[in-house]
Amino acid sequence: NKISFSISFLVMKMISTIFFFVQLLCFTQSHPVYSSSDGTDLESFQEITFDLGHGPESFQAYVQPNITTFSRGEQEDAKQMKFRGHAAKFFNMGPKPVSLYWVGSDGSEVKMNMFKPFDAGGTASFPGHQFFFAHENYKEGSGKGVLKRF
């Protein structure tokens, strides 16, 4: 079960990565490289090259310049994200609906979501966070019908 979940996750990750590059390639081929108001190419675009096994390919990608170049000098440092946690994504790879529960530090069980067959969803998380999948009609605290703990 754990191996098939990991393999399914890796396959989905590979497919989404390939899809991203295909979209990026289609976008760069169908849209002109942007230029500033005076007609010169923006320096923020850089050529990115890659090879997916069919020979080297490249595209123009936007790379954010130093913040002082577009904040009129009002900001010296870019703001940093405060969220330094993790994200958790859950996949129901089965043919029946399942419920996702979060387990609180006091052991309480809180229903977070119901996933239809082959549905997915996610939430913010942190190391040690506990979740579990249960049958759709699971009664909190019973322990009966728990399918998988994470």
Side-chain angles (χ1 to χ4, degrees), residues 31-109:
H31 292 77
V33 174
Y34 296 97
S35 61
S36 61
S37 58
D38 65 1
T40 60
D41 288 341
L42 290 174
E43 295 175 2
S44 302
F45 282 88
Q46 294 180 1
E47 185 173 15
I48 306 292
T49 57
F50 63 96
D51 188 342
L52 295 176
H54 304 287
E57 299 179 57
S58 66
F59 62 94
Q60 295 290 317
Y62 176 79
V63 177
Q64 184 174 330
N66 184 301
I67 191 167
T68 57
T69 64
F70 57 87
S71 70
R72 291 179 250 126
E74 296 172 11
Q75 300 288 326
E76 293 182 16
D77 297 315
K79 301 290 182 196
Q80 297 295 317
M81 288 180 31
K82 292 181 181 178
F83 176 73
R84 300 233 187 263
H86 299 272
K89 188 155 189 179
F90 302 93
F91 299 86
N92 176 8
M93 301 300 287
K96 295 182 179 178
V98 294
S99 296
L100 175 69
Y101 286 83
W102 166 70
V103 180
S105 58
D106 62 353
S108 60
E109 300 172 350

Side-chain angles (χ1 to χ4, degrees), residues 6 13 82 118 150:
S6 297
K13 189 73 172 166
K82 292 181 181 178
F118 309 103
F150 307 97

